[in-house]
Amino acid sequence: MTNLTLFVVVFLTGVALVAAALAIAQLTAPRSFNPQKGEPYECGIPTRGESWMQFRVGYYLFAILFLMFDVETVFLFPWAVLVRDLGASALISVSFFFAVLVLGLAYAWKKGALEWK
């Protein structure tokens, strides 16, 4: 069996499994034709007035900063597990990474991105 034949078989098997899963879900899914299903709600309480409203950009900036620093902090965990095996060069690399992280936090703090107004 050549590589191309194997690729085609795996690809077609994947497409068939996805199509079968979608078909089974479509056939077995519960259906409700109640018009209330399409209405927006929060915590089971019907909304009053317009559901769409604008949020201040500060909320989005705060959320993006949180995600960015959270993901960067997750990169420190694998390093912490292997710190003894990696040696001094890894310590220097992670120190640089951590310095960039702290400088980014200091910059965001100085710009006032972490303050609620």
Side-chain angles (χ1 to χ4, degrees), residues 3-96:
N3 287 340
L4 180 62
T5 308
L6 182 61
F7 175 76
V8 170
V9 168
V10 169
F11 181 77
L12 291 178
T13 303
V15 169
L17 288 174
V18 169
L22 289 174
I24 291 170
Q26 185 68 28
L27 293 173
T28 60
R31 291 180 180 82
S32 174
F33 299 105
N34 190 346
Q36 283 184 327
K37 288 289 275 187
E39 292 182 10
Y41 69 96
E42 185 173 339
C43 301
I45 301 170
T47 58
R48 295 182 192 164
E50 185 68 27
S51 296
W52 292 96
M53 60 186 206
Q54 288 184 341
F55 291 101
R56 291 182 36 217
V57 72
Y59 297 125
Y60 296 111
L61 183 60
F62 195 82
I64 288 172
L65 284 171
F66 173 76
L67 287 175
M68 182 178 69
F69 288 114
D70 191 43
V71 168
E72 288 177 352
T73 304
V74 167
F75 287 135
L76 293 174
F77 285 110
W79 174 83
V81 171
L82 299 173
V83 68
R84 289 188 181 164
D85 299 335
L86 296 176
S89 65
L91 179 63
I92 293 169
S93 298
V94 150
S95 298
F96 180 74

